[in-house]
Amino acid sequence: YCILLEEVEELSDEMTDITQTIKSLWGAVKKDDLANQRSYATSLRLSCDDLIKEAIQVGAMIRRFEQDNLYPDRIQSPSNNIG
């Protein structure tokens, strides 16, 4: 559970970064500040990439939690093994 919680917190942190960056991008758009628009757009793209990675990690940890805690009697096949 602790590892799952940590991954969810990291996912939440990425979403917070995205929310802050989109507000900053909007401010730069309203000011017609092209340099900051570029910077914020790049930052937003990178944060979205990180969010995707964290979401995948959360999905993997949920599966692992289910396997280890909810269905421990199931036999693992190599194709279903997360790692």
Side-chain angles (χ1 to χ4, degrees):
Y1 173 80
C2 292
I3 294 170
L4 175 58
L5 180 59
E6 179 182 345
E7 293 299 333
V8 169
E9 288 170 351
E10 290 174 5
L11 182 65
S12 178
D13 291 344
E14 289 300 334
M15 194 63 222
T16 298
D17 289 348
I18 288 170
T19 301
Q20 292 172 347
T21 303
I22 196 73
K23 289 177 183 177
S24 297
L25 176 59
W26 177 236
V29 167
K30 291 191 294 186
K31 293 178 183 176
D32 200 26
D33 183 346
L34 190 56
N36 275 328
Q37 288 178 41
R38 287 185 185 119
S39 176
Y40 292 132
T42 299
S43 180
L44 186 60
R45 179 177 43 80
L46 294 173
S47 290
C48 286
D49 289 347
D50 290 342
L51 179 84
I52 291 166
K53 293 173 191 173
E54 290 300 334
I56 290 168
Q57 287 285 71
V58 169
M61 291 300 102
I62 290 170
R63 286 177 189 239
R64 187 58 180 254
F65 179 84
E66 289 176 329
Q67 289 173 356
D68 293 349
N69 298 288
L70 303 179
Y71 312 109
D73 298 333
R74 287 190 181 174
I75 297 173
Q76 292 290 314
S77 69
S79 64
N80 289 337
N81 193 358
I82 293 190

